[in-house]
Amino acid sequence: MWQTVNLILFLGVTGYGVYLFYKAVSHRYQYMKLGQPVDFRRQIRKRLGTYLTEVFGQTRLMKDWRSGIMHIIIFYGFILLQLGALDLIYKGLSMGRSLPIPWYDGFSLLQELTVLLVLAAMGYAVFRRYVEKLPRLKRGWKPSLVVWFIFSLMLSVLFSLAFERIWLAYPPSEYAPISSLIASALPELSAQAAQAAFYIFWWLHLLILLSFLVYVPQSKHFHIITAPVNLWLRRDEPAGRLQKLDLENEEAESFGVGRIEDFTQKQMLDFYACVECGRCTNVCPASNTGKALSPMHLIVKLRDHLVEKGAAVTSNSPWVPEAVFGGAGAHAMIPKALDWDSVSGKTDIRPTLQWQQHSWTMKQEKPATETELIGDVMTEEEIWSCTTCRNCEDQCPVGNEHVDKIIDLRRHLVLMQGSMPHEGQRAMQNIERQGNPWGISRNDRSKWTADMEGIPVPTVKERPDFEYLFFVGSMGSYDLRSRKVSRALVRLLHEAGVSFAILGNEERNSGDTPRRMGNEMLFQQLCAENIATFEKYGVRKIVTACPHTYNTLKNEYPDFGMEGVDVLHHSELLSELVRTGRLKPRHEVRERITYHDSCYLGRYNGVYEQPREMLRAIPGVELVELERSRENGMCCGAGGGMMWMEETSGKRVNLARTEQALEVKPTVISSACPYCLTMLEDGTKLKEVENEVKARDIAELLEQSIFGNG
């Protein structure tokens, strides 16, 4: 009779738990379907090896090796314990019989050791969050709930196995060391009492397991399901490539993202996949210097808004059981004051995290359908704080993309509302009128060549058989400091016998700045003009000293018809010329040099080693690495149009980065980007060390070694 009753109760409770789980997942899937459709078949290609290493090798998590190891133990622990859970459930339904598992003793030992490891890993997770108190990790009852779930689940397994041993009179066994130890501590317990205790803990285990199952899709732990899917469906394109807008689509009601439904279904999947681990915010230059933007909160707020608006639109509650968890109202931003003045360190994410936590509040009186995406969910201050460095995306363990969402929000602000910070508007107007952000005459673009002291700088008209087009860019053409880099590069190309030419006054701005600031219309206009010029002169190879130009020409112009053009950054070409002996560094450059990685050269295009190889080839150079370098190098603060806008809150990003560079006591801070060069040079002036520490482009250092100080 007991077995029958137990089985009926088991089937009823389990069926109800699975039903609630299905309901929570299916409702969230319905919300995601409100987004713009995506042809996922285009995304599902190759990548199997990378996918398997990211999901089962947890490689993205190992960027923080301590939490990475902890997560690997928990991940594989739960996989191994699923078979143990089935075995335990079968024991409860069959009055103590085990599943016919081969080498059962070995399985029992592995199960108990796994439980012990998971408990240790969870103990370390509690230590990281509540004792070490890492700023990026949230604290409170929600993050603690899963800790109680897992601890309770593990303990229920051990006590169930221990009481089973007493009930069935199993002797102590080296294959069940922990349950044997617990059983030996209860020598006076009768078999009947042990059986009752077994079923109490058996039911506790089942109820905890089912409660956890129902809780998962209603929490950040939905990533257990969505993260592998998100990694598989990740865009198979160059990193950070922005999607082309069809500006000629007469049926389009708006451009960019002004409502949550304007995001694509893949972008919405990102919302569900977020782990809320804070790794993205921990490396964000905006968050680190007291700006409003936190990449983690960007995703979390968009997810909250999607769930609340999706529930209102579909009339399907995301919460199950609804009577227990359901609630009215919708979240919205009520910005408080962001206090950076109390911070004394170089970087600190805590003011931004506190601002986000206190500003994102539930407003009962305003329904989700009336909540404005831009304004109520994401403030303009947050949207314009992003430097588009992609450090957040590089650190994200589940493959979320933050930058494209911010650019989509900017596109709506610029194209539909005409809203942009004043300095950015001025830069856009100057680019539109004169082809450069300063508004200097477009006829002065090639004026820098007058100072080349007899070294010819031919235009494409003067040398139609050129091999490389040197795309100088606006910084290299107009900025007085960056002109020195242009002249150094020309001198080196001439010395190496490279056949090159420039477009001269026919060159236009590459369009990177307008595109990152949301002005897709201006970008497409500049892009079309430049591509037409390239085709006119038969351009097949391009070299440029600006990583922003390099990334745009290489990875985004092909979307607009540029074909068969090989684009190189000057660090790649110069490194090759040194390696092949066409350039021979001979003069010593006795400097202690640290190299700052440009975001658009490194994280966007994977160019890390070539600049370093070139610097190592210079006699006398002592190359020292920054603490944050290569993939985790911090942004200089100029990307995403921030070069042309003022920082109105917190600490200047370039100052924080300069302070990081000064920690290794260099005599030269080198870079391979005109934006970075300007920001780092300004940083040394702010720190009043410009006489002791110089900011130099790698081309200038190579020039010094090849030609000497004269």
Side-chain angles (χ1 to χ4, degrees), residues 562-611:
M562 189 172 86
E563 298 178 350
V565 180
D566 188 18
V567 183
L568 293 176
H569 184 257
H570 79 316
S571 62
E572 296 175 298
L573 180 57
L574 292 177
S575 176
E576 176 67 15
L577 294 174
V578 170
R579 189 183 65 80
T580 57
R582 294 175 68 179
L583 287 175
K584 297 180 180 179
R586 57 179 66 90
H587 298 279
E588 284 195 343
V589 178
R590 293 192 173 276
E591 302 283 4
R592 180 178 169 88
I593 299 175
T594 189
Y595 175 71
H596 160 81
D597 288 282
S598 159
C599 304
Y600 275 75
L601 189 60
R603 273 188 294 273
Y604 275 78
N605 289 284
V607 179
Y608 294 109
E609 200 54 40
Q610 292 92 323

Side-chain angles (χ1 to χ4, degrees), residues 247 415 427-433 509-511 513-515 518-529:
L247 298 174
L415 298 177
M428 292 300 100
Q429 290 170 355
N430 288 335
I431 291 173
E432 189 171 0
R433 292 168 183 169
N509 185 282
S510 69
T513 293
R515 192 168 215 206
N519 194 339
E520 182 77 5
M521 185 174 296
L522 179 55
F523 162 75
Q524 292 195 17
Q525 176 187 334
L526 295 166
C527 175
E529 291 174 357

